[in-house]
Amino acid sequence: WGDMISKCLDLAIMNRRWIAHRALGDKLSRWIIVYAYASKALLRGSSLGAADDVDGPGLVDRGILSCEELDALCDSPCWQPYFAIEMIRAVLVEAHKVPGGRGITFDETNKTHGQVFRCFDGVIKEMTALVGDNIRTRSSGLPSSYDLITIMSFYIFFGLASFVWSAGVGWMTPVIVATASFLTVLLIVMGSNLVDPFGFDKVDIPMEEFCETIEAQVHAIDERSRSGIIDKLSSAPRSLRTLVRRATFHMDVLKRSVSVKSVVKRQ
């Protein structure tokens, strides 16, 4: 999820810097957010249109998806993160079709500038690879009979151990067996919960917070673009104050260190 967050925000920043068409940029930002929530649903073995899933209707309520887009996403027989990636690529194609520099900010006729598109493509390829990693992680779980075999082994071991230990330990056998079995059951339960860390338990990965982080940061990038603060700061001439480098420690400390060095050199 760390890679997923960084790639989504990297693509969102490139979107606002290099996509000049406002409507296409907004659509690209929306599908970056959808990609995150679709990945979360994939890891949970669900989808954004499932009856028990609240993310799909929530995206519609927040204006990130329209009802038509959600229906198309749910009706498509595919992994939903791939649908989001395909929409991101489609938006980029539409931006390239807009003539006169109104779609893409850089000059595509320039050979050097035209290679900037590879930055988009490189990030999208990495996002596609992350979907494959999620699918592999989801599919590589333990067999369904794992808990049954573990519990059976637990009862057989401690049942036989009680007879063996009673010969040497005596009346302390129930205490030792109870303590050891409690610790063993605790480890078994913990292992069973960690086998599927994408659920809703407290020990599971907080994917809701990750998705909310991506959504909040993408909105923050969009707001910076709308306010024009980045363009203002990047195009403004450098002030004289920015040329002054401040020390990271107090000036009195600097003066004392310089005076000590001068005394040492004199000696």
Side-chain angles (χ1 to χ4, degrees):
W1 271 96
D3 288 340
M4 192 176 300
I5 292 174
S6 63
K7 300 308 176 187
C8 287
L9 300 186
D10 192 13
L11 183 59
I13 292 174
M14 288 191 291
N15 169 36
R16 289 309 178 183
R17 291 297 94 201
W18 294 339
I19 301 296
H21 197 282
R22 177 62 64 181
L24 292 176
D26 292 342
K27 182 177 291 187
L28 185 56
S29 294
R30 292 192 293 108
W31 281 101
I32 292 173
I33 297 173
V34 173
Y35 167 83
Y37 282 96
S39 298
K40 182 183 77 170
L42 174 66
L43 287 171
R44 286 181 173 167
S46 181
S47 67
L48 294 179
D52 58 344
D53 188 88
V54 297
D55 290 330
L59 292 173
V60 174
D61 293 339
R62 296 195 299 275
I64 297 173
L65 279 179
S66 65
C67 293
E68 181 181 1
E69 289 171 337
L70 180 61
D71 292 340
L73 178 65
C74 297
D75 294 339
S76 179
C78 68
W79 286 307
Q80 292 181 346
Y82 283 126
F83 188 97
I85 289 176
E86 187 174 359
M87 283 297 302
I88 290 172
R89 291 188 182 275
V91 171
L92 290 176
V93 171
E94 291 298 321
H96 277 278
K97 291 180 180 179
V98 179
R102 297 192 303 272
I104 302 293
T105 56
F106 49 84
D107 184 9
E108 297 181 80
T109 60
N110 187 298
K111 292 183 179 180
T112 304
H113 293 180
Q115 296 301 314
V116 177
F117 178 75
R118 293 181 178 271
C119 298
F120 276 114
D121 194 56
V123 174
I124 296 174
K125 284 182 179 179
E126 292 177 352
M127 292 171 65
T128 304
L130 289 174
V131 177
D133 293 341
N134 291 338
I135 295 172
R136 183 170 61 253
T137 302
R138 178 64 189 178
S139 303
S140 59
L142 294 176
S144 57
S145 58
Y146 171 78
D147 287 341
L148 178 61
I149 295 174
T150 305
I151 294 299
M152 288 181 60
S153 302
F154 166 79
Y155 283 115
I156 293 173
F157 173 78
F158 281 102
L160 296 177
S162 300
F163 294 101
V164 175
W165 293 344
S166 62
V169 180
W171 63 272
M172 285 291 293
T173 301
V175 178
I176 296 176
V177 171
T179 304
S181 61
F182 173 77
L183 295 176
T184 305
V185 169
L186 184 63
L187 293 175
I188 292 174
V189 173
M190 184 183 300
S192 300
N193 290 330
L194 293 178
V195 166
D196 184 15
F198 307 113
F200 299 92
D201 297 330
K202 291 183 178 180
V203 296
D204 291 334
I205 298 175
M207 294 190 294
E208 286 84 2
E209 296 181 6
F210 294 154
C211 291
E212 291 172 0
T213 298
I214 293 175
E215 183 176 353
Q217 291 301 314
V218 169
H219 285 319
I221 293 170
D222 293 345
E223 288 300 322
R224 289 200 299 268
S225 176
R226 293 189 184 95
S227 64
I229 185 62
I230 300 297
D231 295 331
K232 178 181 178 181
L233 295 177
S234 61
S235 60
R238 192 166 59 165
S239 173
L240 292 178
R241 293 183 179 179
T242 60
L243 299 177
V244 179
R245 296 184 180 274
R246 297 182 177 179
T248 57
F249 44 83
H250 199 271
M251 291 302 296
D252 292 337
V253 179
L254 178 61
K255 292 178 181 177
R256 287 199 298 269
S257 62
V258 172
S259 60
V260 170
K261 288 182 181 179
S262 62
V263 171
V264 171
K265 288 182 179 180
R266 291 175 182 177
Q267 291 177 353

